[in-house]
Amino acid sequence: MKPTEAVASTVLNTASLVSGRLAGKGAFTLFHMPLVRSGLRSSERELFEKAHVDRVDVGGGKHAVTYRWGDGSRPVLLVHGWQSRASRLSDFVPGLLDRGHSVITFDAPGHGDANGRSTTILEYRDTVTALHDQYGTFECLIAHSMGVLGSFYGLKHGVKAEKIVTISGVCDFDYLVEEFSAELKVRDRLKARLHDEIRVNLFPDMPLDEVPFSLTNMTGIVRSPLLVIHDEDDTRIRVTQGRRIAEAFGDQARLVVTSGLGHRRILGDAEVVRTALDFLDQGPSPAGETDPHAVVMD
């Protein structure tokens, strides 16, 4: 455990013995606060200097920073994950532009060049929804990690995408809660308080048996073909999460399991990018077809 996490763990668990309600609110706040803000890499700068830059206000004085290449027609949306930024999906942009697509992406609040110190799944949803309102149905939505949950929450609220690619995706919101609780050694009593805060603040109108949010409850809403890419050596979001997405969507989904790429390097892998672009061009492979560069489980 890092020093900052150790301090947070001690403070939260101690506070829970005095006031469970206040400790729960503190845990909820910390849960949505990325402790690291990724910077723009020199290799990403030239591409992002060519983008049309705008913003989406999400309330509370916070905004997402949006980027667009192309005139907005045939839009493809790229969505980054936790403690990341839009530029980490740079390797997808040239191929998409070559195929005649416009590319849309954003830095969520608390990430990249956006303001704020925190973000929630609601702000991901609101940003994705605002971009959908502006550009219309996305020909493809490509999301990474926590961005998968945020994107699907947008799909739950009316966003449309003809095809979807998840990379290192989170299937279950509760997975994030469990990882957070394990990392900070949160006691069961405090974790229960955190679950209460999540239900009240994030999912107040959702049936109790569907809280926290999970992609497994989206199969009747999302009818688009899915390409699910996950690395078996991902220690941040375990490959079991990718398998759960693919299993939930059945014949709609194709699962590609890579090896040795982990959670972040997978975004820059040439074969992963090629597989996603081929999926966009051609749709999912027939059952039983094997990708020569990955383990495929249809």
Side-chain angles (χ1 to χ4, degrees):
M1 186 182 293
K2 298 177 182 177
T4 53
E5 294 168 348
V7 171
S9 174
T10 300
V11 170
L12 288 174
N13 282 305
T14 301
S16 70
L17 300 176
V18 179
S19 173
R21 184 178 63 84
L22 290 178
K25 289 185 180 299
F28 181 78
T29 298
L30 187 60
F31 178 69
H32 290 103
M33 189 177 295
L35 300 179
V36 175
R37 186 183 289 258
S38 298
L40 187 69
R41 295 170 179 162
S42 57
S43 59
E44 302 162 347
R45 190 172 303 279
E46 182 178 357
L47 176 65
F48 273 72
E49 286 176 347
K50 297 176 181 177
H52 172 79
V53 181
D54 205 341
R55 59 190 278 178
V56 169
D57 293 324
V58 296
K62 292 197 289 184
H63 65 264
V65 175
T66 66
Y67 307 90
R68 188 194 77 222
W69 296 265
D71 61 6
S73 61
R74 302 188 63 203
V76 172
L77 180 66
L78 308 178
V79 184
H80 71 76
W82 191 249
Q83 295 184 345
S84 188
R85 58 183 296 142
S87 60
R88 297 299 184 261
L89 291 102
S90 292
D91 287 314
F92 291 90
V93 177
L96 290 168
L97 293 176
D98 288 345
R99 287 163 170 78
H101 297 283
S102 295
V103 182
I104 321 295
T105 188
F106 63 91
D107 291 334
H111 295 76
D113 290 337
N115 71 348
R117 296 183 59 198
S118 65
T119 197
T120 69
I121 191 173
L122 303 183
E123 292 168 351
Y124 266 84
R125 176 201 65 189
D126 291 347
T127 304
V128 171
T129 300
L131 293 172
H132 178 261
D133 290 344
Q134 183 174 357
Y135 295 106
T137 298
F138 300 114
E139 291 201 5
C140 190
L141 190 160
I142 302 174
H144 178 241
S145 190
M146 160 66 182
V148 173
L149 270 181
S151 298
F152 269 76
Y153 207 46
L155 294 170
K156 182 176 177 64
H157 289 84
V159 171
K160 303 295 182 185
E162 294 176 3
K163 295 178 181 177
I164 300 167
V165 178
T166 73
I167 304 173
S168 311
V170 180
C171 179
D172 308 298
F173 192 93
D174 199 45
Y175 179 89
L176 299 178
V177 179
E178 292 297 326
E179 289 294 301
F180 172 83
S181 299
E183 200 165 317
L184 294 189
K185 301 186 183 304
V186 168
R187 296 192 181 104
D188 289 343
R189 181 180 176 184
L190 178 54
K191 185 165 67 172
R193 291 282 187 173
L194 175 57
H195 274 288
D196 289 342
E197 292 292 324
I198 288 169
R199 176 180 54 80
V200 170
N201 290 285
L202 300 183
F203 311 116
D205 301 322
M206 191 177 293
L208 288 178
D209 61 348
E210 295 183 11
V211 177
F213 178 64
S214 172
L215 272 59
T216 60
N217 295 320
M218 290 287 292
T219 56
I221 298 173
V222 174
R223 300 293 189 180
S224 307
L226 275 77
L227 173 64
V228 180
I229 306 175
H230 217 113
D231 194 80
E232 64 183 2
D233 300 314
D234 190 333
T235 58
R236 182 62 179 146
I237 307 298
R238 302 289 181 180
V239 69
T240 51
Q241 287 287 286
R243 294 187 189 279
R244 277 180 56 78
I245 297 172
E247 289 169 4
F249 285 90
D251 292 341
Q252 276 178 250
R254 175 190 173 206
L255 175 63
V256 175
V257 179
T258 60
S259 179
L261 298 176
H263 187 65
R264 299 191 185 278
R265 286 198 301 117
I266 194 170
L267 291 175
D269 183 75
E271 296 302 334
V272 168
V273 173
R274 179 191 62 78
T275 299
L277 295 179
D278 286 349
F279 169 76
L280 177 53
D281 286 343
Q282 304 166 7
S285 299
E289 181 175 329
T290 302
D291 189 314
H293 302 285
V295 178
V296 178
M297 299 183 182
D298 290 290

